[in-house]
């Protein structure tokens, strides 16, 4: 797997992420729901790989986000809005925030899989870094080389990166999380949020979150 000549096309054709998940990225059509509000307890159930969670379990509001590492609007939320939202609502005990993987393509899938190879307590830091540097790696013509460079920055060897992005258990866990979100909660794009079960689709500024969260506080 030569680093200097491994193109984006090669990556998409040969990684396990592309071979297995790529075939299912065309999500099945779903009937529109009369009411886009779901049972908060069902939405809050963690996926097979576990969730990335910020905040107290005692918080009156649970906010779940489905996100893709290659989604520009997800990166904008994570870098522009989330720090202020965290300070104002999560750190003060008002909101419990859960982030879940919803990869939109093979590169995002591989990025999530590589992050899952890190110690659990480092995964949130990794996700933040990936969103902050998205423009440097997400649409790179040599995605394997770009991900390998990030992996090395995070302390992963080439062998560890290769093992992560071809790990069937990780792949199946990501797929199950994404498919459940689509089939049970109608998620078809990112970012998609659920606030105590209320579905909110798309990027929102902090002022909009003030209004949305205010209804539940």
């Amino acid at each position: 797997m030569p680093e200097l000549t491994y193109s984006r096309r090669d990556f998409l054709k040969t990684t396990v992420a592309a071979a297995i998940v790529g075939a299912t990225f065309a999500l099945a059509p779903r009937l529109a729901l009369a009411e886009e509000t779901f049972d908060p307890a069902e939405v809050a159930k963690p996926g097979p790989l576990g969730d990335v969670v910020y905040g107290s379990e005692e918080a009156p509001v649970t906010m779940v986000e489905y996100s893709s590492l290659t989604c520009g609007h997800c990166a904008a939320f994570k870098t522009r809005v989330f720090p202020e939202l965290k300070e104002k609502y999560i750190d003060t005990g008002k909101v419990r925030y859960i982030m879940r993987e919803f990869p939109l393509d093979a590169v995002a899938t591989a990025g999530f899989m590589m992050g899952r190879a890190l110690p659990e307590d480092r995964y949130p830091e990794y996700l933040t870094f990936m969103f902050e540097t998205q423009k440097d790696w997400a649409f790179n013509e040599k995605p394997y080389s770009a991900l390998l460079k990030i992996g090395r920055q995070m302390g992963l060897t080439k062998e560890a990166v290769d093992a992560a992005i071809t790990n069937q258990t990780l792949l199946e866990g990501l797929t199950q999380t994404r498919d459940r979100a689509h089939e049970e909660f109608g998620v078809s794009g990112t970012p998609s949020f659920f606030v105590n079960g209320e579905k909110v689709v798309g990027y929102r500024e902090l002022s909009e979150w003030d209004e949305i969260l205010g209804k539940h506080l």
Side-chain angles (χ1 to χ4, degrees), residues 42 47 81 91 98 141:
E42 286 298 313
V81 178
D91 294 346
I98 297 170
E141 283 301 312

Side-chain angles (χ1 to χ4, degrees), residues 154-182:
M154 293 289 167
L156 296 175
T157 64
K158 178 182 182 298
E159 291 72 22
V161 171
D162 290 344
I165 66 175
T166 56
N167 185 309
Q168 184 68 25
T169 300
L170 289 178
L171 184 61
E172 290 175 354
L174 292 175
T175 302
Q176 289 175 31
T177 297
R178 192 203 58 180
D179 288 352
R180 180 173 185 256
H182 174 65

Side-chain angles (χ1 to χ4, degrees), residues 48-154:
L49 300 179
D51 289 331
V52 175
V53 182
Y54 294 80
S56 171
E57 291 187 5
E58 306 302 319
V61 175
T62 296
M63 178 178 176
V64 178
E65 178 195 5
Y66 287 93
S67 183
S68 177
L69 284 176
T70 53
C71 165
H73 292 297
C74 297
F77 170 76
K78 192 67 174 180
T79 58
R80 301 176 191 172
V81 178
F82 183 75
E84 292 182 278
L85 188 145
K86 181 176 181 294
E87 180 180 0
K88 188 172 184 178
Y89 292 102
I90 299 172
D91 294 346
T92 57
K94 298 176 181 177
V95 170
R96 180 173 182 251
Y97 165 83
I98 297 170
M99 183 272 182
R100 290 190 185 138
E101 300 102 328
F102 193 92
L104 296 177
D105 53 48
V107 177
T109 303
F112 281 132
M113 293 169 77
M114 187 172 75
R116 285 287 185 173
L118 294 168
E120 186 177 345
D121 61 350
R122 295 193 60 202
Y123 191 42
E125 165 202 350
Y126 167 84
L127 293 174
T128 298
F129 177 79
M130 293 295 274
F131 282 121
E132 289 175 345
T133 62
Q134 185 188 77
K135 62 182 178 61
D136 298 327
W137 65 267
F139 312 107
N140 195 298
E141 283 301 312
K142 298 177 181 177
Y144 173 77
S145 296
L147 288 174
L148 182 59
K149 180 179 179 181
I150 292 171
R152 285 171 169 164
Q153 288 178 306
M154 293 289 167

